[in-house]
Amino acid sequence: MPVDASARARHGRGMTTILVTGSSRGIGAAIATALGELPGVRVLGHGTRSGIAEDLSQPDAPARLWAAALQQAGGAIDILVNNAGIFEASPLDADDWSESWARTMQVNLTASAELCRLAVLHWQERGVGGRIVNIASRAAYRGDSPSHWHYAASKGGMVAMTKTIARGYAAQGILAFAVCPGFTMTGMADDYLASRGGDKLLADIPLGRVASPEEVAAAVRFLCTDAPPSMTGAVLDINGASYVR
């Protein structure tokens, strides 16, 4: 479903509507900006600082977010970008380890799954195709630090979910892709690099630097607009060759 006049005409509307979660900062803000610059595109953002405000750590928040976005969109959403996520350390000896695990799974995986489910049902009801782009992580394949079991597991689950959606609904024109960034130059990445010894971590990246949010956004824009349908189920790595598959 490339974002062009013919695609919009098939849907009987003059606008392609994209819902982007976690769009108020970092990678999400870069994605919203990149998509918002495209002609004929309306971006609906979600976040704590701007857009539709919902706390995805709450089980009923994804349904409220989807309903609010649908209302703003006039009843039709064409593309879903699941970017919202948290990255919180939880050492093995932490008293709240299980609570941290549950919170990370809820925000990073379960909320994304709920939104994917609602999107697929929405497109099936309308009898049209749609696209899902899930922002996972290099950690889905490489793992993460001993304090981030939950983060790596949540992102691994997101990749598996994306591939399952792609296989299950391609015949209906419902496409799904995942993007797996490594370290990205956001506030969260800056703090983590500093806490783990930035120079040592940078030495593990053959490119010699971390990715910029704009680089991740460029990949997401491609998947939302120009990626051919036969790419459904693809996972794009953006990690400076720090992990290759």
Side-chain angles (χ1 to χ4, degrees):
M1 190 183 62
V3 179
D4 56 22
S6 61
R8 296 193 299 273
R10 287 197 300 273
H11 289 206
R13 297 164 30 244
M15 186 71 65
T16 296
T17 301
I18 306 176
L19 172 60
V20 181
T21 69
S23 64
S24 59
R25 59 183 178 178
I27 291 173
I31 291 170
T33 297
L35 293 174
E37 292 172 348
L38 295 171
V41 169
R42 171 175 49 187
V43 176
L44 300 179
H46 149 265
T48 56
R49 300 181 181 181
S50 62
I52 304 170
E54 285 291 349
D55 179 1
L56 294 181
S57 68
Q58 303 303 309
D60 55 352
R64 290 197 305 267
L65 170 58
W66 182 260
L70 268 184
Q71 183 176 27
Q72 289 190 20
I77 293 172
D78 303 292
I79 300 171
L80 168 66
V81 179
N82 274 314
N83 168 75
I86 58 174
F87 182 80
E88 299 172 345
S90 183
L92 292 184
D93 58 358
D95 292 337
D96 64 347
W97 191 90
S98 294
E99 289 80 2
S100 295
W101 178 281
R103 171 177 162 80
T104 293
M105 288 297 172
Q106 170 60 38
V107 175
N108 292 6
L109 182 57
T110 304
S112 294
E114 292 279 5
L115 289 168
C116 286
R117 170 179 171 270
L118 291 168
V120 170
L121 290 171
H122 173 63
W123 296 324
Q124 288 177 328
E125 181 181 358
R126 294 177 60 216
V128 301
R131 292 194 178 208
I132 292 169
V133 181
N134 288 324
I135 310 304
S137 168
R138 177 187 73 171
Y141 293 99
R142 175 174 154 151
D144 211 288
S145 81
S147 293
H148 293 90
W149 289 19
H150 49 355
Y151 180 79
S154 71
K155 295 303 184 177
M158 179 176 270
V159 169
M161 176 179 69
T162 302
K163 293 180 179 183
T164 301
I165 293 169
R167 289 176 55 82
Y169 307 101
Q172 300 173 45
I174 297 171
L175 312 179
F177 312 91
V179 176
C180 284
F183 289 118
T184 306
M185 191 53 69
T186 66
M188 181 172 65
D190 287 343
D191 294 343
Y192 187 68
L193 283 168
S195 69
R196 296 293 301 280
D199 291 342
K200 181 179 179 181
L201 286 180
L202 288 175
D204 190 42
I205 304 175
L207 187 62
R209 63 171 177 83
V210 300
S212 70
E214 290 73 23
E215 288 178 300
V216 180
V220 174
R221 180 177 58 202
F222 169 73
L223 294 174
C224 288
T225 60
D226 296 323
S230 289
M231 273 190 68
T232 190
V235 180
L236 300 187
D237 297 317
I238 307 178
N239 62 52
S242 61
Y243 185 79
V244 293
R245 291 182 286 123

